[in-house]
Amino acid sequence: MSYFSETSGGRLQLDKGAAFCGMLSNKLPPRHVPFTELIDGFDAQLRALYPAVTSGSLANAHGDWYEWLLALEGWNYHIAARTRLLPLQIPNVSQFDRARLYQPEPFAIIEQLRTKVKTSAAVSLVTSNPDFVLINARAIDLPPRFGEQIGHLTEESLALLDNAYRELIGRCGLEAIAGYASVKLSLRPDRRLQIAHEGSLTKAVHAHLQTKLKPGTPVDLKYYAVSTKLGDADRRALRTVATHSIASPDHEPEAAVDAVYEVNSLNEATEFFAAILR
C-alpha cells in the first residue's frame, strides 16, 4: 500500500492516517514504548520506502500521530474505567469554532461578547483551539458507538476520533464541557505562551458564561498541558495566573493551566487520563 500520493506540483504528499495504521500493523503499539521512539521509527520506515520524502513532510505528521495515540488511549480508557469525562479531539480554530459545541443560549452569549469586544475596543476575542475537549458524559447523551472500544486501527477508526466532536455541536450546556487539554509533541517558548494564552482566555469566557447562566453556582473548568518532555523552564512558564481571576478582589486567583503532564507512552497516557477523567 502506498502512503504517498503525488501533488500536481510533483511533490510527495503523505497520507498520515494510512501510514499510521500501516506502520503499526493496525494494532496499538506496545504500552511501554516511548512515543518519540515510535515516531522516529515511523520516519525511518518512510525514508526507507520513499527516499525523496522531506523532513518537513514528516514533521508535519508528527503532531497528528501523537494526538491519535493519546486520543486512542483516552477513548478506550474512558470506556474501560467508565469515567465521568471523555476526551475528544477538536480541529484547529481555522476549521472549527469550539463555541459551536454549546447549546444556543451559551453560544449566543459568547457571540454577544465577541460583538461587544469588537465594537467597544476594536479587537477580537480570538485564540487558538486546544487539541482536546473534556466532555462530561453524564451531562449529555452520547451516541452508542461512543461506548465501543477501538482495538483494530483503521482509517475509519481514526476518522471516528477526528470527527466525534461533530456529534456534540449545539448540544453542550455549561456542565457538559468540563475542560480542555493542549497537546504538543515538544514545547518551545512560543508554544508555552500559546498554551497559557489559550487557558487564560478560555477560563475568562467560561467565567463570563457562568455569570450569565449560573450565578452563585460555580461550574469548574480545567485546562491541561501535555507534552512528551517537560523541563523546569516549561513548568515555570506554564505556572501562570488566569488574568481574569485577578481583576476583581472578590475572585480567588486561579491558574491559567491547572496541571502539566509528561506523556510519552501508552502507560503514561493511562496515568494522565486516570488523573483527569475522574
Side-chain angles (χ1 to χ4, degrees):
M1 178 179 183
S2 175
Y3 299 144
F4 285 87
S5 58
E6 190 170 307
T7 67
S8 56
R11 297 178 59 187
L12 287 177
Q13 181 170 300
L14 175 62
D15 185 332
K16 293 179 279 191
F20 181 81
C21 296
M23 289 184 294
L24 285 173
S25 301
N26 300 104
K27 298 180 293 186
L28 291 172
R31 302 193 60 81
H32 66 283
V33 174
F35 291 154
T36 47
E37 181 179 310
L38 198 67
I39 290 171
D40 285 346
F42 291 170
D43 286 355
Q45 290 181 62
L46 291 169
R47 285 194 177 100
L49 289 170
Y50 307 94
V53 65
T54 64
S55 296
S57 179
L58 295 175
N60 187 50
H62 292 170
D64 291 299
W65 291 337
Y66 184 45
E67 284 184 33
W68 279 329
L69 289 163
L70 290 174
L72 285 160
E73 182 61 21
W75 180 277
N76 287 339
Y77 182 84
H78 161 73
I79 295 168
R82 298 183 180 181
T83 61
R84 179 175 65 94
L85 304 184
L86 166 65
L88 296 179
Q89 290 176 280
I90 51 176
N92 63 44
V93 70
S94 66
Q95 297 174 292
F96 180 64
D97 175 7
R98 58 184 153 118
R100 290 178 56 210
L101 290 171
Y102 283 114
Q103 293 169 345
E105 185 180 8
F107 178 70
I109 292 171
I110 294 174
E111 287 289 87
Q112 290 165 6
L113 180 60
R114 287 168 171 169
T115 300
K116 181 179 179 180
V117 165
K118 186 175 182 179
T119 56
S120 300
V123 294
S124 298
L125 185 65
V126 64
T127 182
S128 51
N129 275 355
D131 302 289
F132 287 84
V133 59
L134 306 180
I135 295 295
N136 182 352
R138 297 172 190 170
I140 189 169
D141 290 330
L142 298 175
R145 70 174 180 274
F146 280 44
E148 300 170 4
Q149 288 201 337
I150 298 172
H152 185 68
L153 299 188
T154 64
E155 292 182 72
E156 289 72 25
S157 59
L158 297 184
L160 170 60
L161 295 172
D162 284 340
N163 294 292
Y165 75 95
R166 295 179 183 274
E167 299 283 351
L168 305 181
I169 291 174
R171 298 182 57 214
C172 296
L174 196 61
E175 297 87 352
I177 297 180
Y180 295 93
S182 184
V183 171
K184 307 296 178 191
L185 186 65
S186 61
L187 284 180
R188 303 186 305 259
D190 60 320
R191 287 179 175 171
R192 299 176 199 150
L193 292 173
Q194 175 189 340
I195 293 170
H197 175 65
E198 279 179 5
S200 186
L201 192 53
T202 295
K203 290 192 171 190
V205 172
H206 178 78
H208 181 74
L209 286 175
Q210 186 168 283
T211 300
K212 297 286 188 179
L213 298 171
K214 297 281 185 178
T217 308
V219 179
D220 198 19
L221 184 85
K222 297 296 186 183
Y223 209 96
Y224 302 106
V226 181
S227 187
T228 57
K229 186 174 179 59
L230 291 163
D232 290 340
D234 300 318
R235 295 181 186 278
R236 283 195 301 271
L238 292 171
R239 198 180 301 127
T240 188
V241 70
T243 51
H244 79 280
S245 69
I246 58 173
S248 168
D250 299 325
H251 200 298
E252 287 295 320
E254 63 178 295
V257 179
D258 292 281
V260 296
Y261 291 89
E262 190 170 280
V263 179
N264 196 26
S265 68
L266 287 180
N267 281 338
E268 290 178 354
T270 298
E271 294 173 5
F272 165 60
F273 289 119
I276 72 164
L277 299 184
R278 293 172 292 180

